[in-house]
Amino acid sequence: MLVLMGSILGALLGFYAARRRNGTRLDILQYTSIYAIAFAIIGLMVTITIHRIIM
């Protein structure tokens, strides 16, 4: 669940970051995908950490 939420949050932040820098359509796609991947990885690490603490 955290991975999905992180991915969506990252995509939104990447979209706004690219728009703020007046990026082209491809810039917006790149920022969106990179931020989504990065936040998904962070969400995965948090999920694994929580799971290992509980077990």
Side-chain angles (χ1 to χ4, degrees):
M1 184 62 103
L2 291 176
V3 176
L4 182 61
M5 290 182 347
S7 178
I8 292 171
L9 177 65
L12 289 173
L13 288 175
F15 176 78
Y16 289 124
R19 291 285 300 235
R20 191 173 49 236
R21 296 178 180 168
N22 294 326
T24 63
R25 185 181 310 171
L26 292 177
D27 291 333
I28 293 171
L29 286 173
Q30 182 179 6
Y31 270 75
T32 302
S33 62
I34 295 301
Y35 274 61
I37 291 169
F39 276 66
I41 290 172
I42 292 169
L44 179 63
M45 285 190 255
V46 170
T47 301
I48 290 171
T49 304
I50 290 172
H51 182 58
R52 290 183 67 85
I53 289 173
I54 291 174
M55 292 286 186

